[in-house]
Amino acid sequence: SEHLSHLEYAIHSVQQALRIDPAHTGALAGIADLQRKRGSWGELVETLQRHAAIEPDAQKKTELYIQLAELLERQMNDIGGAINAYQQALRSDDASPTALAALDQLYRRTEQWEPLIRVLTKRADTSTDDQEIIKYRIEIGTIWDVRLYDAGQAITAFQKVLDLDPSNVSALRAL
């Protein structure tokens, strides 16, 4: 209980500092750490949102939105909020591998096929590994075909695979 009282005092002190300077990113980071230790998830969500909104450094802003998204997904079970926070992370870094991978999983889980296609397209566009690009493009074609019933878009996606690998069996079979 003595540890808790020290934690409460520390939080109170940092809150006082934030009353003086609400945009002090160091104080916001400090209170976020204290809230994390205390398990005050609701308060931590607000603090991370506040900090991310005013953080001038794009990389730190991306990291804050990713932390927020992970918290919303894992502690608060707020999938919609997590998706929104990952999208915010992409506004700061449109190629963030962490945000793209997380959105890939969340869109699959919630069966949001068109947003998933946008994420897979971005992952393919930012990859330097031909095999990975082919994998994403085949998946895009399959989603267009099997989930969204759009043969034209599916053909376009599979054609992009053949542009990279003219003898790709999966793409040839799909066409």
Side-chain angles (χ1 to χ4, degrees):
S1 75
E2 186 177 321
H3 175 70
L4 188 60
S5 64
H6 288 303
L7 200 53
E8 297 301 324
Y9 180 76
I11 288 173
H12 178 73
S13 299
V14 177
Q15 285 172 334
Q16 291 295 98
L18 285 170
R19 281 189 193 92
I20 295 165
D21 181 4
H24 192 287
T25 56
L28 286 166
I31 200 162
D33 287 341
L34 295 169
Q35 290 166 336
R36 204 172 276 114
K37 286 178 185 158
R38 192 169 72 175
S40 301
W41 308 126
E43 292 172 21
L44 180 57
V45 165
E46 289 177 33
T47 301
L48 290 173
Q49 285 171 329
R50 228 170 111 188
H51 188 168
I54 63 167
E55 177 58 56
D57 180 83
Q59 185 178 351
K60 284 183 187 169
K61 184 184 280 277
T62 301
E63 290 168 12
L64 287 165
Y65 278 121
I66 288 171
Q67 286 176 32
L68 174 61
E70 290 170 348
L71 173 67
L72 287 165
E73 181 183 358
R74 296 180 187 141
Q75 296 295 335
M76 310 296 281
N77 202 26
D78 179 358
I79 302 305
I83 287 172
N84 185 50
Y86 283 122
Q87 289 169 336
Q88 292 281 20
L90 289 176
R91 286 188 187 96
S92 298
D93 175 4
D94 70 340
S96 165
T98 305
L100 288 168
L103 283 171
D104 183 318
Q105 289 182 334
L106 291 173
Y107 287 145
R108 285 175 201 280
R109 199 158 83 193
T110 56
E111 298 185 355
Q112 295 183 53
W113 305 120
E114 289 191 34
L116 175 58
I117 287 170
R118 287 192 293 277
V119 166
L120 292 171
T121 300
K122 185 66 177 178
R123 293 182 87 179
D125 290 347
T126 57
S127 179
T128 55
D129 177 349
D130 281 353
Q131 291 309 307
E132 198 171 77
I133 294 167
I134 288 168
K135 180 187 85 167
Y136 291 136
R137 297 266 180 231
I138 286 175
E139 192 165 5
I140 291 165
T142 303
I143 293 168
W144 277 118
D145 184 31
V146 177
R147 300 290 185 179
L148 299 173
Y149 311 108
D150 188 329
Q153 292 282 8
I155 289 168
T156 301
F158 290 124
Q159 192 57 55
K160 287 182 180 177
V161 172
L162 294 175
D163 291 346
L164 269 177
D165 178 7
S167 61
N168 185 282
V169 176
S170 297
L172 288 168
R173 268 197 206 123
L175 291 173

